[in-house]
Structure formats: C-alpha cells, structure tokens
Amino acid sequence: MAAPVDDMFSRCVDPAKASNNVEVRFIDNVKGKGLFAKRPFKKGDTIFIEQPLVSSQFLWNALYKYRACEYCLRALETAEENARRLNHGLDVRSLQVMYCSAECRQAAWEQYHKVLCLSQSHDDPDHPVNKLQDAWRSVHYPPETSSIMIMARMVATIKQERWQRLFSNFCSRTANEEEEIVHKLLGDKFQGQLALLRNLFTTALYEDRLSQWFTPDGFRSLFSLVGTNGQGIGTSSLSQWVHACDALELPSQQREQLDAFIDQLYKDIDKETGDFLNCEGSGLFLLQSSCNHSCVPNAEASFPDNNFLLHLSALSDISPGEEICISYLDCCQRDRSRHSRHKILR
C-alpha cells in the first residue's frame, strides 16, 4: 500500500519542528514563494534538518570510484582510503550498487529501486537504464550540476509510491526559461541531445498515467524543475577527518605540524584530481527549495552528517517574520562584482 503524501513529508522533515520554525509564503510574481521565520533564531542555530524527496549521486562521480551509499550518499571509504585514492588520480570503473546500511537498502527498495533495479543486467550496455545513463554522461561532462537519475527516481517514486502531488511544490518556469535552463545544462546542441534523452527516458520508464512527462514539452519541464530546484550534496570522509582535526585542542607546535600536513595533503591531491574531492550529487528538498537567494544570506545549507541530510543554519540573528535567504553562489563568487554575480546567477 502506498504511503500517504503527508507521511512522505514527515520522512523528509520533522513536521512539528518545521511548522513551529518556518513557513512558506507567496511573495510576488517575480520572486514567487519564500521561506520565513516563525520564531527568533540566534547566529549558529539550526533552523531545520531536511531529507531530500529524491537524490542521486552524479553519474561521472560514481564512475570515478567515489564510493557512496546509493540512497543517502554517505561516503563509503575511510579518510585514509579517500586520501590515497585521490592522491593516485581518478580511475574509471563500473561499480555495483552499494548501501551504508540495511535501512538505506530497504528505503531505496520501497521508494524507487523496484522500478530501477538492474539486477543481473548491471553491466549490460543495452539495458534501457544503462543506455540512458551512458547518454547523459556523453552530453553532461564534469563538473556536474545535475543528473538524469534524479528525474528517473522521481518517476520511479511516483510509480511505486504515488507521491506526484509533492513534486508540484517545486518552483516551475515559463517555456522560454525552461529552454534556457536546458540549454545551460546540455550546451549548444541541446535540442538534439534533449530528444535523444527523452526517447531513452521513455523506453526505460514510460507509464500511461504519467504520459504528460514524456512529451517534448513535459520532459523539458521536468528537466527544468530539476535544474531550478536541485541542491548540490557533497560528502567526504576526508573532510570529516579534517573537521575533527580542527576541533582538537593541541599545543601550538603540534597544531602547526598538523595544519602543515593537511595543507600539503590538499596540495598533493590538487595536483592529481583538482577540485573533485567529494562524493557529489544533488537532491530535491521541499523546504530548502523555497529559500530565495541573497548576496548577504542569513542562512546556509550544509551536510555535517556526511550524508544527504541538509542542515539549514543561521548565519546571523533572524527575527520572526524575516525571510530566510541563502546564497546560490560560493564564497569566491560572492566576492565578485555585482555584474559578475548576476551573470553567474542567471
């Protein structure tokens, strides 16, 4: 029996805490909706913790042996294994589906994996899901910003659990905006690439009651929904270890030696793999997706649990009724000129 929609929301975020802490309001036709505080928050407070409705590791990231739980994206290697692998360059290898726990395996199976399970066809290049993934990798090279598998898991989730109404809560775009977003994701030849992906997507996942998502316009809208609302997720055993080192209380000489070791480690890794340090993916978060951008944000999203659980934390004191905004840019991009920031945001 399918889980009620409200039950799925309660899986993603504690409904009691969320309703006491924040509310989503419509602002205007330009900004759309926004997230507002219902009570005061001090700098450093956790506003809420949220699980994505769906998420997926990036396909190139997985192919380059960034081992992560198929469901929650928890890194599945120790900090030492992580550092050794990154120091020896990236190696492409096909990996079987892995989970960090029996609970994650069961949750994936109940939500979407019955539909998407490759079983004995994991290495079969002619399997429809494999063909879809290969086609995506051929048109969307690193650095990755999205994944066709988010869309596949959306459809599979609706097939298994019938949670279609929840996806209507995400921001939608006009036809012109949708085309621009798809163009950004797929490049100059996006029309041909989009048609190829839609045909493969249809072969792998078509169902009559979801037929609107398999038409050219519907598929573009689905693509745009993911491109507009997707939140990047990064997990790393090495990063967790470095944060733990930072928290250690050490004599000044030992602190200097440890910091020097970590700096050199990152320099060595940078020579081999550049910026690609983390297990990376993206997810659709019901509450976080309501946050608007500010170049002076009062909140930020992070993943301190080394999995897909998003923590939204206050960067400054927030008053009841105040809009909660995050930055869609990283700290380096925020330091650029206003013109440059607008260009990147577009």
Side-chain angles (χ1 to χ4, degrees):
M1 182 176 178
V5 170
D6 290 343
D7 181 53
M8 181 54 201
F9 179 77
S10 69
R11 288 193 210 177
C12 293
V13 63
D14 186 325
K17 288 184 179 178
S19 62
N20 289 333
N21 290 357
V22 296
E23 63 180 347
V24 178
R25 297 184 203 161
F26 177 77
I27 300 173
D28 55 42
N29 290 327
V30 176
K31 293 186 74 174
K33 62 186 178 182
L35 192 69
F36 292 82
K38 292 180 70 174
R39 69 170 184 83
F41 294 97
K42 294 292 185 181
K43 180 180 178 180
D45 283 353
T46 298
I47 300 170
F48 60 76
I49 300 172
E50 182 177 14
Q51 175 180 325
L53 189 57
V54 289
S55 63
S56 176
Q57 186 179 5
F58 291 146
L59 290 176
W60 277 107
N61 192 258
L63 199 63
Y64 278 128
K65 295 200 306 182
Y66 287 78
R67 295 183 311 183
C69 176
E70 177 79 1
Y71 183 69
C72 78
L73 272 71
R74 182 182 298 279
L76 295 180
E77 56 189 353
T78 66
E80 182 178 357
E81 290 170 338
N82 191 185
R84 287 183 183 278
R85 178 174 56 77
L86 293 174
N87 254 319
H88 288 86
L90 300 178
D91 175 29
V92 175
R93 182 183 298 177
S94 176
L95 289 174
Q96 297 291 327
V97 170
M98 296 180 291
Y99 296 95
C100 68
S101 65
E103 290 77 13
C104 277
R105 181 189 297 273
Q106 185 66 23
W109 181 255
E110 290 177 353
Q111 183 178 336
Y112 58 78
H113 197 67
K114 293 175 193 174
V115 171
L116 296 175
C117 182
L118 297 175
S119 188
Q120 301 303 312
S121 301
H122 187 273
D123 295 317
D124 179 4
D126 294 323
H127 190 284
V129 173
N130 284 333
K131 291 176 75 171
L132 178 65
Q133 294 184 93
D134 287 342
W136 175 257
R137 279 190 287 261
S138 72
V139 301
H140 192 70
Y141 292 98
E144 297 172 272
T145 55
S146 189
S147 174
I148 195 74
M149 293 311 293
I150 288 279
M151 296 164 58
R153 289 184 181 181
M154 286 174 64
V155 171
T157 293
I158 292 167
K159 280 187 170 188
Q160 288 189 208
E161 296 278 12
R162 299 179 182 270
W163 296 332
Q164 190 166 358
R165 185 166 65 83
L166 277 177
F167 291 109
S168 67
N169 292 320
F170 293 101
C171 175
S172 58
R173 298 295 183 187
T174 65
N176 287 341
E177 288 176 321
E178 287 175 356
E179 185 169 308
E180 184 176 346
I181 290 166
V182 175
H183 196 293
K184 291 287 186 185
L185 288 174
L186 296 183
D188 293 337
K189 298 179 181 178
F190 82 98
Q191 288 286 10
Q193 295 167 340
L194 193 65
L196 170 65
L197 289 170
R198 185 177 70 85
N199 288 336
L200 292 170
F201 194 78
T202 301
T203 300
L205 293 162
Y206 183 81
E207 186 166 304
D208 282 342
R209 66 186 176 89
L210 302 175
S211 60
Q212 73 275 14
W213 278 358
F214 296 90
T215 66
D217 287 345
F219 186 66
R220 186 176 63 182
S221 295
L222 194 60
F223 221 99
S224 175
L225 183 151
V226 171
T228 302
N229 297 280
Q231 163 67 43
I233 301 170
T235 63
S236 168
S237 299
L238 178 60
S239 176
Q240 292 287 103
W241 177 79
V242 170
H243 284 304
C245 289
D246 289 342
L248 293 174
E249 294 185 6
L250 298 172
S252 58
Q253 185 176 1
Q254 289 184 21
R255 169 56 62 190
E256 289 176 9
Q257 290 173 340
L258 180 58
D259 288 348
F261 171 79
I262 292 172
D263 288 343
Q264 187 60 50
L265 177 61
Y266 275 113
K267 287 177 183 177
D268 292 342
I269 290 172
D270 186 61
K271 290 178 183 177
E272 294 290 343
T273 57
D275 294 331
F276 300 102
L277 301 180
N278 300 334
C279 296
E280 294 182 351
S282 63
L284 295 176
F285 294 84
L286 288 167
L287 282 180
Q288 178 273 341
S289 66
S290 300
C291 292
N292 286 307
H293 166 78
S294 171
C295 285
V296 188
N298 57 9
E300 69 174 355
S302 63
F303 298 89
D305 296 328
N306 200 29
N307 61 11
F308 63 10
L309 289 178
L310 181 149
H311 291 234
L312 193 74
S313 304
L315 290 175
S316 59
D317 291 352
I318 301 173
S319 302
E322 184 177 348
E323 185 178 5
I324 298 171
C325 293
I326 60 177
S327 177
Y328 297 168
L329 309 174
D330 63 30
C331 57
C332 295
Q333 291 170 332
R334 290 200 300 270
D335 289 339
R336 299 187 182 192
S337 68
R338 185 171 182 269
H339 174 77
S340 295
R341 294 200 307 269
H342 280 192
K343 189 174 180 180
I344 296 167
L345 280 169
R346 284 178 61 83

